[in-house]
Amino acid sequence: MKKIIFLLFALPLLSMAQQQTKVYNLQPAKQLIGWTGYGEVGSYSLSGVLKLKSGRFDYDGKTLSKGIFVFDMNSISHENETLVKHLKDEDFFYVKKYPVAEFQLSAVKNGKASGYVIIRNIKKPIEFPVSIVENAVKQLVIKGTLRIDRTQFEIYYNSNSFFQNLGSNAIKNEFDLKFELIAVAGS
């Protein structure tokens, strides 16, 4: 009898908890992700943007979870077209073969996002700090910077870890992706 009474009270509570979780979507046309790559010598760096192809996640009012963010690797941009062409070729992201990259969000807890990055069809775990704020029109604004080691995804071009005597042509293994994404509840 106690089990039946417990179930009568617990089921509505579980149902309410499930109803509070909403799917949030990103509007890809409005989302740009900044990238920065660094030279090994001095303070040399190059920056550009990358477009989001799609993005969605679950949000229960406290925790983001079960998300997937797809990046359009054909959208890599920089003012130097020769650089863009090189970033898209086999030395770097091999966009012809791998037109998208992904971030699969597991959860955001204590200000840190955890999940998996997939670049060139190679999946690696990652964790990075994020902030989440609800704006005046009930959208979620998600900001953060993640640092990715390109050599984990078999991108070795001009890496001191794999080649010697590169001098000023050496490129750091890590690059940064900085983002400020706006998500809205709904389908």
Side-chain angles (χ1 to χ4, degrees):
M1 183 68 168
K2 287 181 183 179
K3 288 182 182 179
I4 293 172
I5 292 172
F6 173 76
L7 286 174
L8 289 174
F9 287 104
L11 287 175
L13 291 175
L14 287 173
S15 176
M16 285 174 39
Q18 289 174 344
Q19 291 174 356
Q20 291 177 355
T21 299
K22 293 181 181 177
V23 174
Y24 276 73
N25 294 294
L26 299 165
Q27 298 169 328
K30 298 180 180 181
Q31 315 293 332
L32 293 177
I33 294 89
W35 61 263
T36 304
Y38 305 94
E40 285 283 1
V41 178
S43 59
Y44 181 75
S45 66
L46 294 170
S47 296
V49 294
L50 175 66
K51 291 181 183 176
L52 190 69
K53 187 172 184 173
S54 65
R56 62 145 305 277
F57 57 86
D58 291 347
Y59 183 63
D60 66 6
K62 295 180 183 177
T63 304
L64 270 69
S65 62
K66 299 180 192 170
I68 185 159
F69 304 84
V70 180
F71 303 93
D72 179 1
M73 298 308 288
N74 279 300
S75 73
I76 295 172
S77 67
H78 184 271
E79 59 192 33
N80 182 326
E81 286 301 317
T82 304
L83 172 64
V84 170
K85 185 177 178 183
H86 194 201
L87 290 172
K88 290 181 179 182
D89 75 15
E90 295 89 346
D91 285 339
F92 285 96
F93 297 104
Y94 201 179
V95 173
K96 187 175 182 178
K97 186 172 182 179
Y98 307 104
V100 297
E102 290 184 12
F103 171 60
Q104 297 173 347
L105 172 70
S106 298
V108 175
K109 293 179 184 172
N110 302 318
K112 291 204 175 208
S114 61
Y116 296 90
V117 171
I118 302 170
I119 298 173
R120 293 173 61 132
N121 215 27
I122 299 169
K123 185 176 183 177
K124 296 291 180 179
I126 194 165
E127 185 175 271
F128 55 93
V130 295
S131 67
I132 305 162
V133 177
E134 187 173 349
N135 66 18
V137 292
K138 302 291 184 189
Q139 299 171 326
L140 291 181
V141 180
I142 305 155
K143 296 180 184 180
T145 301
L146 49 85
R147 180 159 283 176
I148 297 173
D149 181 344
R150 65 190 173 95
T151 62
Q152 290 185 342
F153 303 93
E154 298 178 2
I155 303 171
Y156 306 122
Y157 183 83
N158 281 14
S159 167
N160 271 340
S161 300
F162 295 89
F163 304 100
Q164 297 178 358
N165 303 319
L166 292 171
S168 63
N169 292 320
I171 302 169
K172 285 189 178 180
N173 292 342
E174 293 85 16
F175 67 93
D176 292 335
L177 293 177
K178 186 174 184 175
F179 58 90
E180 180 174 336
L181 305 174
I182 297 174
V184 294
S187 55

